[in-house]
Structures are given as structure tokens and as C-alpha cells.
Amino acid sequence: MSEARDHVFKIQNAALWAGMGVLSLALYVAVPRSAWHDSLLPLASRLGLAGIELVLLAVLCMILALGLSWYTVHYGDWKPVWQRLAGGIVLGFGWLFLLAYLASWAALHSTGRFLDSVTVLLFGANAVQMIQHAAQMDPVLLIALPVLAFALAAGVTVALPRLAMKASPKTARIASVSALFAVAGCAVLAGAGSRYTVTQMYKGAFGQTGPLTSLGQDLATQISFRSDPVWSAQIVPLEQRPAVAMEEYLNGVEPAYRRNIVVVVVESLRNDQLQATGGEREVMGVVDSIARFSRVFTRNYTQSSHSDYADLAIFSSHYPLRSPRYHMYPKNPTYPRVLVYDVLKGLGYRTGVFSSQNESWSGMINYLDTGNIDRLLHADTYDGPTYVPRNDQFFYRWVKGSKRAGKIDDRFTVGEAIEWIDGLGDQPFFAYVNLQSSHVPYEIPADFPVKYGTGRVSFPLQFAYFPPDSVAAVKDLYANSLAYVDAQIARLVAHLQETGRWENTIFVVTGDTGQAFFEHGFAGHANALYDEVMRVPLVIRSPGLEPGVDVRLSQHVDVPPSLLHLIGVPPHPAFQGRNLFTESTGEQRFAYLLAQAAAHQYAIVDARYKLIYDATRRRYLLYDLNEDPGEIRDISAEREDIVGSLAARLHAWRRAQLGFYSDVRLHGDWYPPVLPESL
């Protein structure tokens, strides 16, 4: 390295690391979801984690300073046109780097997770929708981040090179030695303090420290994937069913009852929001009144904590575990998919999907649209205006016309469903209605009466964060949004009654996921597999079905075979769920749950226990749901026998699922395997 370049490198390296270090520490302390605010971590551990991030920053800044010093020294040798071009490139690179760094901290603040392989994958496939959510929830931040990143980039790529060239050799030496000692101090701090953090209990704190530490943990997870217990799970006999043509399955099958079927899926519907499933106040009075004449499953689980997995299991009866990491639905998938409306279409039903959300998210539309839907409505195909929250400033209003973002107001979605049903005459029909007003930020029309609280809060509601001391106020907003959804369900039911269809209609209400309000340190959903997110109501009203409460374990994959039972049709061999209306034999049942978004977890639930396996932390959590329904006390250390038996089954299930979906040769001839209830 030339003397001039060495001189410039020392100044720029020290200045870069000092500036990024101060910025990182400030964000570490300021962002409420960072490891600094984890009260379970000792102070020494929190300081040690900061040291790790600063050491990683030092390495990165040294690499950046090498390139920047070469650019600074040679800048004067180029012609003006090349100087301007090179300056623009360097400024642009600096801006993108700093924007990504700041955006990663913003992601932690909003979702509890830094940018990593999963969030980058999500953003790449759903960029418009994700920016739309950011604009809706915190428009000031959306403007401030690129402006701040540009200002910092200009300082690094324009002002810093000029200062470096003017600095004396003595200043360069002092800066270099000071930086060296500072990095050494951070390394000592990291080594001394982070020894607490390598335990199973605190391992996840690495992912809450800084963007670089989080990326390092993400990379380590990818590299060590083969050490996951799924690969050492015992090989068990599986029920492997051969694929059959729809014509072959339906040969000789005639429904005993040609009943209409309506399945209403309510966004983020917790179990405790219906009085029929344990709620203390009347939030959805119409649904509760329907529940009095229905079979109510009070211990029902959704299959996943995020909607793109959870929604589809309700109709496919397939567990959504198809990949070791986050799965995007491809066009024309090789793996089999038989949705309940595919069967009904073959039986002469008309079929319709009416969704207030954009089903393009994560490619869900590729899975839903099997070619057997007569009417498909969602935010991407709706001719009217998509939903615009009152607090939106610019982006949402601009992008709604593109049909790539926004949601349909639920009253319009229900209106479209009613209009379609009216045009069917006496033909039997299946309708899937997805209602979204209960999604964050719980926006309802200004003319809808507020049932609880004031109907407003003084802070922006982000997808997975709001001030924890404001839970009561946010829960009131949430309840009001569910009351609005309830009013739209009332319109649909009233129309079915007025047109004489109600008495011949199977009517189902359930939630795609629940919603957390900091019961376990986080808000929203798409996160850890606790019951506030995973337990959702399942209300099934059918002509001739005796009403009552069923406390047995059920899950969303059970819905399709149960619906076919209610019209007298045998379950399709593709289904992995079970008919909920068969007589109980006392056989043990298990529910299998997963999350591959803000958390990477798998869980199994039986009649009493829930075992959660956290794939990031490589640890187990065991809860006795009878004694501890709030899942407060982890008893995994005390009941290693229960952990062992449930873990063996959980990883056998994971191995069976992943093994099937990873082997394309199986997809044309077989359906996903079913794990026997007894191993």
C-alpha cells in the first residue's frame, strides 16, 4: 500500500468505525426490542453482545475503508467526467449500504427481527406490500430513513475523503492506534460478557443485537442445518397414500346432502374474543349467536402463526411444512394439492373465493388457484378502491390503483359474495370469505360506532409493535375491528336467511391465526407458537348437526374431511386431517404447528402438553397446558421423559414432511404421508 493511501486508509478506517460504532450503540439502546432491553440478560452479557457487533463492524469498516482509500487517492487522476461518474457510484453504494443498515434496525423495531435471509426473501417477493405496510404504519420513518442514509453517505463519501487528505501523518497514526485499542477493548468485552449468552436460554439474544450479529447467526444456522434433530429422527412407518385421479375418487360418489358451504376466515381472531370459546366480553355478538346453534371446538389450533401458511391448510388439509426454511408458493408446483373446493367442483358445486387481502402475498394465489374456482376476488383483481387507512400519507393512496397493495374493505368483499350467490339460482355452492379488517392497524370506517374505548391511540401501530404499556387501548381497537367484521358476517347470514338458503347451508367461522399482546414479549402474529397466536375458534353450523361444545383437540387440517362428512362424501385420500364428527375412540391425538417467519419454531400438542422446538436457539420448551394455560413455566428440565417422547414424534413428523416435499419423484404418484397416532 502506498504511503499516501496508507495515510488515508488509517483516517477513513478509524472515522468509519467510530461513526458506525456510535450509530450502532445509539440504536442498540434506543430501539426497545434490542437485546439491551432484555431484562433476562445480565448487564455483562448485554455489554458483551454490543462488543460482538462492534468487532464485526470494525472488520466491515476496514474492508470498506480499503476501497474508499483507493478511490480517494486516485480520484484526482481521472478526467472530470470519470470523477463525476465514480463519485456517483461511490455515493450510491454508500447510500444503499447505510439504508440497508438503518432499515434492518427499523425492521427490528417493527417486527422484532433484523433483516436476514427470510426477510430479504419476503421483501423480494412482496416489496410493494411491505412498503405499503411501512407507509401505513409509520410514514415519517419511511421518509426519514432514506434521507438520513443519504446524509450519512454524503458525509462518508464526500466530506470524509477531503478531511482524510488534509490530515497530518501524526493525526493518522493517532487515529489508527486509537481504533486498534478500541477494537481490542471491544473484543475483550465481547469475550468476557457474551459467555453468558452462549447458553441455550440466551442464545437467541444474538439475533437481537445488531444487523451484523444477526446475519452471522443466520449464516451459522444455514451452515449447521444438518445438525438439526430432524435429520436424526427415528424412521417410522408412514401411511403413504397413492395419488388418484379426481374422476377415480368420485366414481360412484354421490353426496347424501347437496348443502351449500360457506367458510369465513377472520384475520387474527383469538380464542378469547368469542364468548363461545372463553371470551369475557361480547365482541362478536352475531358469531356468538351462531355458535349457540353450532358445534364449537374450543381447543382448535391453526397450523401456523403466519397467514400465508395458515390460510391454505384450512382448505388443503395439508400441513404447510414444505421446506426447511421459508416456503414461497411456486407457479405450477410439482407437489400435489387437492383443495376441498376441487372435490366439490367435481360434485357439481359452483365455487367462489372472496378475499379482502391480496392473495399474491408469498405466491398464495399460485396454490389457491387450482383451476376449479368460478369466481376469484381479492385485492389484486378488485375493480373498486382498495382499503385506505385514515392515517395514510402518500404511498398507500398512490399504490392502491396498481392492485398490488391494500385490502378491500370487508363490506365490499361481503357485498361481492352476496351478489355472486344471488346469481347462482338453486345450484349448490362453496364460498370462501376472508375478512381482513381485524388486521393491524385495526382500521374501521369513521361512521362505524365504536364499541370499546375511544377508537383511537396517539401512536402509530406497527405490525408487531406498539408501546407495551398501551395493551388495553390497543385491545379495544382490536375488539372494535372484530365488531366491524361481525357486522359484515351478519349481513351475509341475513341474506342467506332472506333468500331461503340458510337452512341448507353449512356455515363455518374460524380465524387464520390469533394475535399476541405481549403475553410472551411480542405483539402481532407470525411469531412464536404460543397459544395466544395458535388457538383460534372453530364454529361449524350445519343442518341436522347437534349443537354443543367439543373440547377435544382439533386443528385446521381437520376442516376439509369434516366438511365432506357433513354432505355424506368420504374424505379425499390426499387429506392429512381427520373427520371431527366421528365418534371418539379415546385414541391420542396430536396437533403439529410451525412458524418460519419472525420465529423459526415447530411444536406438537397433545391432550395435555405442548412442546416447542426453537430451531434458531436449538432448545425445547415444554408446557403443561392443564396446569399452566398461560404457558408461563417451562418444565422441560423437569420432565425430560415427556420432552423425549414428544420430540421423537415431532421430528419424525418433520422428517416425513420434508422428505416428501424434497423428493420430486414422489410428487406425481403419492400424497404427503400421514404419521400414525401411535409410534
Side-chain angles (χ1 to χ4, degrees):
M1 184 182 295
S2 68
E3 184 177 345
R5 188 177 168 191
D6 178 61
H7 167 85
V8 170
F9 167 76
K10 290 177 180 178
I11 292 292
Q12 291 179 331
N13 181 42
L16 271 176
W17 182 70
M20 290 297 295
V22 170
L23 177 63
S24 177
L25 286 174
L27 291 169
Y28 185 48
V29 174
V31 175
R33 305 185 77 173
S34 74
W36 178 257
H37 298 275
D38 188 344
S39 59
L40 294 177
L41 283 171
L43 178 60
S45 187
R46 283 178 271 170
L47 292 172
L49 287 169
I52 293 173
E53 181 73 8
L54 291 175
V55 170
L56 293 175
L57 268 176
V59 175
L60 179 62
C61 288
M62 183 175 67
I63 296 171
L64 295 175
L66 283 172
L68 189 60
S69 63
W70 182 90
Y71 159 77
T72 302
V73 170
H74 292 282
Y75 179 83
D77 300 335
W78 300 328
K79 294 180 180 180
V81 64
W82 296 114
Q83 288 180 347
R84 287 192 291 271
L85 179 61
I89 292 173
V90 171
L91 177 60
F93 175 81
W95 177 69
L96 289 174
F97 168 75
L98 288 163
L99 180 61
Y101 191 80
L102 293 172
S104 191
W105 278 103
L108 177 72
H109 178 60
S110 178
T111 68
R113 181 173 183 152
F114 285 108
L115 296 180
D116 57 12
S117 57
V118 173
T119 51
V120 170
L121 179 65
L122 273 170
F123 187 85
N126 309 288
V128 172
Q129 292 97 320
M130 293 188 78
I131 295 175
Q132 158 233 308
H133 280 300
Q136 163 193 333
M137 296 169 191
D138 201 338
V140 175
L141 185 62
L142 191 68
I143 298 172
L145 283 183
V147 171
L148 178 59
F150 185 84
L152 293 173
V156 169
T157 63
V158 178
L160 181 58
R162 294 176 181 175
L163 291 173
M165 291 294 288
K166 294 178 180 179
S168 67
K170 182 179 179 181
T171 302
R173 287 194 299 272
I174 293 173
S176 180
V177 171
S178 299
L180 183 62
F181 274 102
V183 172
C186 289
V188 171
L189 182 66
S194 64
R195 65 188 180 91
Y196 298 102
T197 320
V198 298
T199 65
Q200 290 288 352
M201 181 176 294
Y202 298 133
K203 207 174 194 180
F206 283 107
Q208 307 293 110
T209 303
L212 300 183
T213 310
S214 176
L215 286 175
Q217 184 184 48
D218 186 44
L219 179 61
T221 300
Q222 302 280 6
I223 294 172
S224 65
F225 175 71
R226 287 286 171 176
S227 66
D228 192 290
V230 67
W231 299 112
S232 59
Q234 64 183 112
I235 298 176
V236 299
L238 302 171
E239 184 180 348
Q240 194 84 51
R241 301 166 183 166
V244 298
M246 185 63 71
E247 295 78 10
E248 181 182 350
Y249 157 70
L250 291 177
N251 184 28
V253 173
E254 183 66 27
Y257 314 98
R258 287 196 170 271
R259 292 168 177 154
N260 309 313
I261 300 175
V262 178
V263 179
V264 179
V265 176
V266 179
E267 170 68 35
S268 306
L269 178 57
R270 284 169 60 117
N271 226 31
D272 62 4
Q273 297 304 295
L274 292 185
Q275 291 180 319
T277 51
E280 296 181 355
R281 60 184 183 179
E282 184 183 277
V283 175
M284 304 185 76
V286 172
V287 175
D288 270 322
S289 67
I290 295 171
R292 288 194 285 272
F293 303 96
S294 306
R295 191 69 59 84
V296 180
F297 297 87
T298 59
R299 198 159 180 255
N300 182 66
Y301 280 88
T302 180
Q303 249 50 70
S304 177
S305 66
H306 37 107
S307 303
D308 50 353
Y309 282 15
D311 286 359
L312 305 182
I314 301 172
F315 304 103
S316 69
S317 191
H318 282 178
Y319 294 108
L321 176 56
R322 297 182 175 89
S323 171
R325 300 284 283 174
Y326 190 83
H327 180 71
M328 307 280 291
Y329 299 99
K331 289 185 177 180
N332 304 314
T334 60
Y335 50 75
R337 52 186 172 132
V338 179
L339 280 73
V340 67
Y341 49 75
D342 295 324
V343 175
L344 296 171
K345 183 69 174 178
L347 294 171
Y349 276 65
R350 298 294 299 277
T351 57
V353 172
F354 302 87
S355 176
S356 293
Q357 71 182 351
N358 191 329
E359 298 293 343
S360 298
W361 178 266
S362 297
M364 284 190 293
I365 191 69
N366 296 329
Y367 192 93
L368 275 173
D369 192 1
T370 60
N372 286 316
I373 303 175
D374 296 317
R375 176 80 166 94
L376 174 57
L377 172 79
H378 67 124
D380 200 28
T381 60
Y382 181 48
D383 290 333
T386 49
Y387 186 60
V388 181
R390 283 172 286 174
N391 68 335
D392 180 70
Q393 301 298 314
F394 65 99
F395 188 83
Y396 215 66
R397 296 180 184 276
W398 172 74
V399 83
K400 69 186 180 69
S402 74
K403 307 305 178 189
R404 300 304 303 173
K407 297 180 184 293
I408 308 172
D409 188 307
D410 286 339
R411 58 182 167 180
F412 298 139
T413 303
V414 169
E416 293 279 341
I418 288 172
E419 183 178 347
W420 177 74
I421 291 170
D422 278 348
L424 299 179
D426 295 330
Q427 291 179 281
F429 65 86
F430 167 87
Y432 161 36
V433 183
N434 185 305
L435 302 178
Q436 288 285 312
S437 291
S438 46
H439 193 286
V440 174
Y442 314 125
E443 192 77 20
I444 59 176
D447 59 352
F448 186 76
V450 172
K451 196 170 184 179
Y452 297 105
T454 63
R456 63 179 63 88
V457 292
S458 60
F459 46 84
L461 273 178
Q462 300 186 22
F463 171 73
Y465 186 75
F466 57 84
D469 58 358
S470 300
V471 166
V474 176
K475 275 191 172 181
D476 283 344
L477 291 183
Y478 169 62
N480 290 331
S481 70
L482 287 170
Y484 179 67
V485 172
D486 190 59
Q488 308 318 311
I489 295 174
R491 289 175 54 218
L492 179 58
V493 171
H495 189 78
L496 292 170
Q497 292 171 337
E498 291 165 4
T499 56
R501 294 184 173 93
W502 179 249
E503 292 307 318
N504 192 41
T505 296
I506 299 168
F507 199 83
V508 180
V509 180
T510 189
D512 64 337
T513 68
Q515 191 78 338
F517 292 93
F518 291 107
E519 291 88 347
H520 290 91
F522 65 91
H525 55 273
N527 213 310
L529 301 176
Y530 291 106
D531 272 11
E532 61 266 20
V533 175
M534 302 308 296
R535 280 186 63 180
V536 296
L538 177 59
V539 176
I540 302 179
R541 179 265 179 197
S542 177
L545 179 64
E546 183 179 350
V549 174
D550 195 322
V551 298
R552 293 176 299 168
L553 184 66
S554 64
Q555 52 189 330
H556 272 162
V557 291
D558 298 332
V559 171
S562 303
L563 291 177
L564 293 186
H565 169 83
L566 292 174
I567 62 172
V569 172
H572 193 279
F575 294 165
Q576 292 179 298
R578 297 174 61 178
N579 176 13
L580 293 173
F581 300 111
T582 55
E583 290 295 326
S584 176
T585 62
E587 185 180 24
Q588 175 74 295
R589 281 223 64 191
F590 300 92
Y592 299 98
L593 324 175
L594 72 147
Q596 292 180 326
H600 189 182
Q601 294 184 345
Y602 305 86
I604 181 171
V605 184
D606 68 7
R608 179 170 182 174
Y609 296 100
K610 179 198 278 187
L611 180 73
I612 298 175
Y613 172 65
D614 192 305
T616 301
R617 294 166 172 81
R618 295 287 200 272
R619 67 175 298 219
Y620 293 99
L621 301 167
L622 179 67
Y623 299 100
D624 183 337
L625 299 177
N626 289 350
E627 300 294 328
D628 179 24
E631 298 167 290
I632 303 300
R633 185 168 174 261
D634 170 27
I635 59 171
S636 58
E638 303 166 26
R639 296 303 308 269
E640 293 183 357
D641 56 331
I642 301 295
V643 172
S645 62
L646 289 180
R649 174 175 290 279
L650 176 63
H651 295 307
W653 169 77
R654 291 178 63 206
R655 181 169 186 151
Q657 287 290 124
L658 294 174
F660 174 81
Y661 283 103
S662 64
D663 192 345
V664 179
R665 296 171 299 176
L666 301 175
H667 295 175
D669 299 323
W670 300 93
Y671 293 124
V674 176
L675 200 69
E677 296 294 349
S678 58
L679 292 181

